[in-house]
């Protein structure tokens, strides 16, 4: 393995670990920590979750929209919503969305 | 509210669509890495040590373009800065007294999707547990590494003969995020979600996909702060 690849991986990996763990280690967001209570930081952190999920949904959907295909993404979206309303299961809704998207892709193709 | 504690097994089940979504993406990474001249070991090492999809693809581009190591490292680290927000947001949702004794290990698995799924479980009334976090994080990590290895071994074009399967697998992550969004959707969250979505689109079009993601999260969270401050 080349030294450059290994060094890059170790430096970036260490930073990733620090980003994911150290804020928890130092109590940000915990009840008694700096993010607890009802302060601005606490409200900010409470809103981060919904904002992150909405953002990641939009970010992962944009390439499909930019590609110009309509039928398959609509079928996939409808599949997710329909199964979610029916069963209230994230797992089933996700798998149904992928199947519906694949079906739409095959039919439109 | 259903206050059942998230178990390791329940975490594994919840993580199933994430793992199914990760595998083909990691497969594509393995194919791209070996295509860019990395060995199978190097491709696998990037997935084991970095474990962040978008930045791994960017790492390939930087390595093959001959970017200086400090520049490449700084770029990739900046790309993952958003992860700083996940732990605190998760612990805030988990409530006071949530265990974090083994967080040094399970926090490694706190990717975008695992974070979203963990938050969704709490929103649906499951009580946070470290065992659940291990279950939630293990399957996606295993899928990411095994997908990379499979892709590196298969080489280019392995999924090209199965376009419908490839299409369905490619939609798994948007489908997962939509399902998670539905699972946490409440009227008070609508302004946060709307602002985050619009800011993500604007940031992506104006700057980059990474800029859009970071901008969407921060703008949505700020909208949450402002809304509550007014309310």
């Amino acid at each position: 393995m080349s030294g450059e690849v290994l060094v890059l991986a170790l430096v970036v990996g260490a930073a990733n670990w620090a980003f994911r763990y150290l804020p928890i280690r130092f109590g940000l967001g915990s009840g008694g920590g700096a993010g607890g209570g009802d302060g601005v930081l606490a409200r900010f952190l409470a809103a981060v979750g919904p904002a992150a999920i909405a953002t990641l949904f939009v970010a992962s959907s944009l390439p499909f929209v930019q590609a110009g295909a309509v039928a398959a993404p609509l079928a996939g979206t409808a599949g997710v919503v329909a199964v979610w309303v029916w069963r209230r299961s994230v797992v089933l809704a996700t798998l149904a969305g992928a199947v519906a998207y694949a079906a739409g892709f095959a039919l439109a193709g | 509210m259903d206050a059942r504690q998230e178990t390791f097994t329940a975490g594994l089940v919840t993580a199933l669509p994430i793992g199914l979504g990760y595998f083909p993406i990691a497969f594509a990474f393995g194919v791209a890495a070996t295509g860019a001249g990395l060995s199978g070991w190097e491709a696998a090492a990037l997935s084991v040590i970095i474990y962040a999809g978008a930045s791994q693809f960017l790492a390939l581009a930087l390595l093959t373009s001959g970017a200086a190591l400090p520049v490449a490292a700084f770029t990739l680290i900046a790309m993952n800065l958003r992860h700083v927000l996940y732990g605190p947001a998760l612990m805030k949702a988990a409530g006071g007294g949530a265990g974090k004794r083994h967080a040094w290990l399970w926090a490694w698995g706190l990717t975008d999707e695992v974070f979203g799924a963990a938050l969704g479980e709490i929103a649906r009334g499951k009580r946070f547990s470290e065992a659940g976090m291990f279950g939630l994080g293990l399957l996606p990590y295993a899928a990411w590494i095994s997908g990379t290895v499979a892709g590196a071994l298969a080489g280019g074009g392995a999924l090209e003969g199965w376009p419908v399967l490839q299409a369905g697998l490619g939609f798994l992550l948007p489908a997962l995020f939509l399902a998670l969004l539905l699972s946490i959707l409440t009227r008070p969250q609508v302004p946060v979600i709307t602002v985050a979505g619009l800011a993500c689109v604007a940031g992506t079009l104006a700057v980059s996909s990474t800029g859009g993601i970071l901008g969407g999260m921060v703008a949505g969270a700020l909208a949450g702060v402002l809304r509550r401050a007014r309310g």
Side-chain angles (χ1 to χ4, degrees):
Chain A
M1 185 185 300
S2 84
E4 189 184 18
V5 173
L6 186 60
V7 168
L8 183 67
L10 288 172
V11 170
V12 177
N16 277 352
W17 178 80
F19 290 163
R20 291 169 184 172
Y21 168 60
L22 292 182
I24 298 173
R25 167 68 181 80
F26 292 112
L28 291 172
S30 299
D38 196 34
V40 171
L41 178 58
R43 295 202 302 269
F44 181 85
L45 292 175
V48 161
I53 294 173
T55 298
L56 293 169
F57 168 62
V58 171
S60 62
S61 302
L62 271 179
F64 294 90
V65 176
Q66 288 171 326
V70 177
L74 277 180
T77 302
V80 173
V81 174
V83 173
W84 168 256
V85 170
W86 178 36
R87 300 300 300 267
R88 300 283 174 189
S89 163
V90 170
V91 175
L92 291 178
T94 303
L95 296 176
V99 170
Y101 180 90
F105 178 85
L107 291 173
Chain B
M1 176 185 277
D2 176 4
R4 287 172 299 167
Q5 186 161 313
E6 183 83 345
T7 62
F8 177 78
T9 307
L12 284 177
V13 172
T14 303
L16 189 62
I18 303 176
L20 288 171
Y22 274 13
F23 189 88
I25 299 170
F27 187 92
F29 172 75
V31 170
T34 49
L38 270 65
S39 69
W41 285 111
E42 288 172 327
L46 287 175
S47 283
V48 170
I49 300 171
I50 294 181
Y51 188 35
S55 62
Q56 285 181 223
F57 279 98
L58 183 59
L60 289 184
L62 292 167
L63 285 168
T64 52
S65 69
L69 194 62
V71 173
F74 180 79
T75 305
L76 297 173
I77 288 170
M79 195 171 183
N80 293 322
L81 194 58
R82 67 187 184 279
H83 290 166
V84 167
L85 298 172
Y86 290 173
L90 179 62
M91 298 315 284
K92 169 74 180 164
K100 57 181 183 180
R101 185 179 171 192
H102 304 291
W104 63 273
L105 189 54
W106 61 253
W108 173 245
L110 213 49
T111 61
D112 297 328
E113 295 78 14
V114 170
F115 164 70
L119 218 58
E121 288 294 278
I122 293 171
R124 284 191 297 283
K126 290 280 182 69
R127 196 148 42 87
F128 172 91
S129 79
E130 292 197 286
M133 287 307 300
F134 275 115
L136 205 49
L138 185 62
L139 190 67
Y141 190 40
W144 187 254
I145 294 169
S146 58
T148 301
V149 172
L153 291 174
L159 277 179
E160 284 175 7
W162 306 85
V164 174
L165 176 63
Q166 190 175 19
L169 292 174
F171 194 72
L172 269 171
L173 288 183
L176 172 63
F177 287 129
L178 178 56
L180 288 171
L181 200 55
L182 290 170
S183 76
I184 63 159
L185 190 61
T186 58
R187 189 182 294 272
Q189 303 290 10
V190 170
V192 173
I193 290 168
T194 305
V195 170
L198 291 174
C200 177
V201 172
T204 302
L205 297 178
V207 186
S208 66
S209 57
T210 303
I213 290 172
L214 196 57
M217 287 183 192
V218 173
L222 287 175
V225 172
L226 291 175
R227 184 184 59 76
R228 291 182 192 202
R230 286 175 185 170

